C-alpha cells in the first residue's frame, strides 16, 4: 500500500482532498492545484460549495478567476458529498478547532470529519490533520476513529500531522511559500506526507512525530499571544508615564539581534492567537501543571477592550460628554489590517461595551459590509458606514480599532472631533494631532 501511494504521489497522479474549505483549506487547494495535482474540496457548508461551483470566491485573496480556472481545468472539484472522500488518495483536514463555552478545546469538528472519513476509508489512503490542536490529538482522537473502520494504521492507511501557518492578509506569503512542518504517526506515514508536501510548498521541515508537529504550532501561537500581552501591558504603563509605546518599539526594533517587534492593540483577534494557547493550558492541567505565561497573557489581552473604552470615556470627558448618547463610530471590525475575517475580533467586544453604556454606535469597515452573526456576541444588524466628511463630523468620537490601509486617516482626523487610536494608525497625520488620543 505504502509503495503504491508513494508512486501515485511521485507521479502527481494522487488526488488531493481537502476537508474544510475556509481560510486555510482554500489556499491549500491553490498550493496543490498549482503544483499540478487534481484536487477535490469537501465542506459541510452547502452555501460555500454552491458559491465555488458557480466560480465565486468568499476569501478576499483568492479571486473568482482562479476558482473558475481550476474548475474549468478540472484541477478542483468542490463538493458537499462526504461519501466522495473515498476518491481522494490524500485527505487533508482543515476544519475549525474553537474553544467551547468553558474555554476548553472543542475537537468535535475533527471527530466528525474523522467519522466521515472512516465510513469510506480504503486501503492506500493518507490522512493528514492540519487544524491547530493540542499535542496528542492526531494519535489519541483521530486515529482511534479511523481505526474503527477495521483497517490498520501504518499498514492499510497512513496518518500524519502538518500544521497550517497561513497568514491572511500578508501579501508576502502564500500557503506554498511557507515552510511546512511534517510529523507522521509512523515512518511510513511520515514518508508519504513528506513527499506529498514537498511538491506543494517551498520547504518541508521533518520532525520526529505528530506530537512534535502539533506542539510546534502551539508554541508559535503562544509566543505571539505572550509577546502581544507584554506590549499591551507596557502600553498601559508607558501611557501613565507619558511615554509613547509605539515610539519605544520603533526604537527598540533597530537592534539587529535579540529583539522582535510586537505591537499593542485593542485586544487579540483571529481564529488562532486568542484560542490556541488555551488548548495547551487545558492539556497541562491533565499533567498537573499550569501554563502561567498563557494565563497571564490571556488575562491582559482580554482586559484590553475595557482599557480602550475607558480611554474613549476620558476623551469624551475632555469635550464635556458622557459615553451615554454620544455618537461613536468604530473604524475596523476585522481582527487585523486589510482582512475580512471578524473572528474573535476585539471590535465586537468594544461594540458591546459601548452599546451597553448607552452610546449610539456605528461602524465602518470596507472589508465587512454587514456585521455577521458571532458565536460569543449579540450583534445588532448594522451596515458599514461611508466615512464622508459629513458623517465624520457628526461623530463625537472615532475609535480606530483596525488599521486598514483603505481608511483615509488625514480625512478622519481632519473631519472628526476626537480620534481614539488603538493602532498608531494616525502616526503620519500632520494636521489636527491635538484631536488624537492613543489608546
Ligand atoms: N485562519 C487562519 O489564519 C489559520 C492559520 C493557521 C491555522 N489555522 C487553523 O486551521 C483550521 C481551520 O481554520 P480556518 O480559519 O480555515 O477555519 P474556517 O472556519 O475558515 O474554515 C473551516 C471550514 O470547515 C468546514 N467544516 C466544518 N466541519 C466540517 C466537517 N465535518 N466536514 C467538512 N467541512 C467542515 C466549515 O464549514 C468551514 O468552511 C483551524 O484549526 C485553525 O486554527 C487557521
Amino acid at each position: 500500500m505504502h509503495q503504491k501511494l508513494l508512486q501515485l504521489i511521485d507521479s502527481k497522479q494522487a488526488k488531493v482532498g481537502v476537508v474544510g474549505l475556509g481560510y486555510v483549506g482554500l489556499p491549500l487547494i491553490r498550493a496543490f492545484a498549482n503544483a499540478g495535482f487534481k484536487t477535490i474540496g469537501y465542506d459541510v457548508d452547502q452555501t460555500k460549495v454552491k458559491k465555488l461551483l458557480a466560480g465565486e470566491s468568499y476569501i478576499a485573496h483568492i479571486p473568482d478567476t482562479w476558482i473558475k480556472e481550476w474548475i474549468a481545468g478540472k484541477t478542483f472539484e468542490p463538493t458537499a458529498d462526504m461519501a466522495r472522500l473515498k476518491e481522494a488518495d490524500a485527505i487533508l483536514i482543515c476544519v475549525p478547532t474553537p474553544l467551547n463555552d468553558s474555554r476548553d478545546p472543542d475537537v468535535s469538528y475533527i471527530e466528525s470529519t474523522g467519522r466521515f472519513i472512516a465510513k469510506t476509508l480504503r486501503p492506500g489512503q493518507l490522512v493528514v490533520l492540519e487544524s491547530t490542536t493540542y499535542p496528542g490529538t492526531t494519535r489519541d482522537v483521530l486515529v482511534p476513529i479511523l481505526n474503527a473502520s477495521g483497517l490498520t494504521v501504518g499498514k492499510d492507511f497512513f496518518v500524519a500531522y502538518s500544521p497550517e501557518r497561513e497568514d491572511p492578509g500578508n501579501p508576502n506569503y502564500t500557503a506554498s511559500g511557507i515552510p511546512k512542518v511534517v510529523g507522521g504517526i509512523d515512518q511510513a506515514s511520515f514518508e508519504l506526507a513528506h513527499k506529498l508536501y514537498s511538491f506543494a510548498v517551498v520547504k518541508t521541515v521533518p520532525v520526529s512525530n505528530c506530537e512534535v508537529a502539533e506542539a510546534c504550532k502551539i508554541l508559535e501561537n503562544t509566543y505571539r499571544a505572550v509577546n502581544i500581552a507584554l506590549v499591551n501591558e507596557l502600553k498601559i504603563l508607558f501611557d501613565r508615564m507619558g511615554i509613547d509605546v509605539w515610539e519605544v518599539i520603533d526604537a527598540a526594533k533597530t537592534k539587529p539581534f535579540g529583539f522582535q517587534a510586537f505591537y499593542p492593540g485593542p485586544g487579540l483577534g483571529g481564529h488562532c492567537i486568542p484560542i490556541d494557547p488555551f488548548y495547551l493550558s487545558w492539556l497541562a492541567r491533565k499533567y498537573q501543571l499550569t501554563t502561567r505565561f498563557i494565563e497571564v497573557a490571556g488575562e491582559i489581552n482580554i482586559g484590553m477592550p475595557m482599557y480602550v473604552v475607558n480611554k474613549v470615556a476620558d476623551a469624551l470627558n475632555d469635550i464635556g460628554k458622557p459615553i451615554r448618547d454620544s455618537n461613536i463610530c468604530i473604524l475596523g471590525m476585522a481582527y487585523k489590517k486589510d482582512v475580512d475575517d471578524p473572528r474573535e475580533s476585539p471590535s465586537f467586544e468594544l461594540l458591546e461595551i459601548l452599546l451597553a453604556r448607552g452610546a449610539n454606535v456605528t461602524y465602518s469597515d470596507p472589508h465587512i459590509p454587514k456585521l455577521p452573526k458571532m458565536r460569543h456576541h449579540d450583534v445588532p444588524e448594522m451596515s458599514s458606514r461611508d466615512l464622508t466628511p459629513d458623517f465624520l463630523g457628526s461623530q463625537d468620537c472615532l475609535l480606530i480599532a483596525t488599521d486598514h490601509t483603505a481608511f483615509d486617516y488625514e480625512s478622519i482626523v481632519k473631519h472628526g472631533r476626537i480620534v481614539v487610536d488603538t493602532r498608531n494608525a494616525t502616526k503620519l497625520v500632520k494636521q489636527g494631532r491635538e484631536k488624537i488620543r492613543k489608546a
Side-chain angles (χ1 to χ4, degrees):
M1 279 309 144
H2 173 248
Q3 278 311 319
K4 202 172 152 205
L5 184 53
L6 203 56
Q7 272 165 15
L8 276 181
I9 294 172
D10 231 353
S11 58
K12 296 192 185 176
Q13 297 301 306
K15 199 171 202 179
V16 177
V18 173
V19 187
L21 302 173
Y23 287 92
V24 163
L26 213 47
L28 196 62
I29 291 276
R30 180 192 177 206
F32 280 98
N34 285 351
F37 285 85
K38 294 233 177 305
T39 66
I40 176 161
Y42 306 88
D43 206 296
V44 286
D45 185 341
Q46 305 263 2
T47 328
K48 279 190 177 152
V49 172
K50 275 190 192 142
K51 276 197 176 164
L52 293 169
L53 285 168
E56 276 174 51
S57 174
Y58 39 77
I59 293 193
H61 58 286
I62 306 268
D64 294 355
T65 46
W66 293 359
I67 309 275
K68 288 191 180 100
E69 263 171 42
W70 300 338
I71 290 180
K74 298 198 177 347
T75 46
F76 175 42
E77 254 187 290
T79 180
D81 181 2
M82 296 298 157
R84 293 189 60 193
L85 279 163
K86 61 175 178 291
E87 291 176 31
D89 299 296
I91 301 171
L92 317 180
I93 305 174
C94 307
V95 296
T97 41
L99 295 172
N100 63 21
D101 288 340
S102 43
R103 296 191 73 73
D104 288 337
D106 174 3
V107 292
S108 62
Y109 297 89
I110 296 178
E111 290 169 335
S112 67
T113 304
R115 285 192 291 272
F116 277 133
I117 297 172
K119 272 189 199 162
T120 60
L121 192 68
R122 59 170 169 80
Q125 278 187 312
L126 166 70
V127 179
V128 186
L129 182 59
E130 293 225 3
S131 303
T132 307
T133 186
Y134 59 82
T137 311
T138 310
R139 197 177 300 276
D140 303 336
V141 177
L142 182 61
V143 167
I145 296 173
L146 299 178
N147 275 340
S149 64
L151 300 179
T152 308
V153 69
K155 181 171 153 274
D156 302 318
F157 71 96
F158 307 93
V159 176
Y161 181 82
S162 180
E164 188 50 57
R165 288 164 150 176
E166 183 74 4
D167 186 14
N170 184 340
N172 300 325
Y173 293 103
T174 57
S176 52
I178 304 169
K180 211 145 179 10
V181 174
V182 185
I185 277 288
D186 49 40
Q187 186 57 22
S189 298
F190 164 74
E191 277 170 19
L192 290 165
H194 185 251
K195 174 60 85 183
L196 180 70
Y197 285 113
S198 66
F199 285 107
V201 299
V202 61
K203 188 181 175 198
T204 48
V205 183
V207 293
S208 309
N209 49 45
C210 294
E211 288 74 13
V212 173
E214 290 162 330
C216 163
K217 174 70 187 180
I218 297 256
L219 167 64
E220 290 166 14
N221 286 355
T222 301
Y223 169 77
R224 287 193 66 74
V226 168
N227 280 287
I228 292 169
L230 174 66
V231 287
N232 274 336
E233 186 172 64
L234 292 182
K235 169 173 79 168
I236 299 172
L237 171 66
F238 288 166
D239 178 65
R240 272 209 200 157
M241 297 161 75
I243 298 169
D244 182 334
V245 70
W246 284 277
E247 196 180 345
V248 174
I249 295 167
D250 282 347
K253 77 179 185 197
T254 60
K255 185 179 177 186
F257 48 85
F259 182 83
Q260 155 137 39
F262 286 85
Y263 296 94
L268 262 194
H271 183 38
C272 301
I273 317 291
I275 292 174
D276 304 342
F278 293 100
Y279 267 59
L280 197 56
S281 332
W282 172 85
L283 187 62
R285 287 200 292 277
K286 288 192 161 186
Y287 288 84
Q288 285 83 45
L289 286 171
T290 49
T291 48
R292 282 172 287 172
F293 272 107
I294 294 175
E295 300 301 334
V296 170
E299 208 176 288
I300 294 169
N301 289 329
I302 285 168
M304 292 318 292
M306 197 50 95
Y307 170 78
V308 171
V309 168
N310 287 338
K311 283 284 182 186
V312 168
D314 290 349
L316 286 169
N317 193 42
D318 288 349
I319 56 163
K321 293 211 73 168
I323 287 183
R324 180 167 300 282
D325 292 331
S326 283
N327 295 331
I328 301 175
C329 182
I330 300 176
L331 308 187
M333 295 305 291
Y335 80 92
K336 77 169 181 181
K337 185 177 178 161
D338 299 344
V339 303
D340 60 355
D341 188 349
R343 287 177 296 176
E344 308 291 325
S345 171
S347 300
F348 288 85
E349 191 72 23
L350 293 170
L351 177 75
E352 231 168 42
I353 305 174
L354 290 169
L355 283 173
R357 296 208 180 170
N360 306 316
V361 190
T362 49
Y363 86 94
S364 178
D365 191 319
H367 304 282
I368 302 186
K370 274 194 163 56
L371 286 189
K373 297 248 171 299
M374 299 289 285
R375 234 170 113 97
H376 301 294
H377 300 278
D378 246 348
V379 184
E381 280 192 16
M382 265 194 213
S383 301
S384 174
R385 305 296 295 258
D386 288 339
L387 299 182
T388 60
D390 276 356
F391 175 74
L392 290 169
S394 71
Q395 298 302 298
D396 299 302
C397 176
L398 299 163
L399 168 54
I400 301 173
T402 316
D403 48 345
H404 290 313
T405 311
F407 288 137
D408 178 347
Y409 295 104
E410 294 279 353
S411 168
I412 287 166
V413 176
K414 182 174 175 196
H415 300 288
R417 242 181 128 182
I418 293 181
V419 179
V420 174
D421 184 358
T422 68
R423 301 279 192 176
N424 203 25
T426 52
K427 100 174 173 187
L428 299 177
V429 173
K430 298 263 182 311
Q431 305 282 320
R433 290 207 66 82
E434 68 286 354
K435 298 183 199 172
I436 302 170
R437 310 280 189 280
K438 292 192 181 179

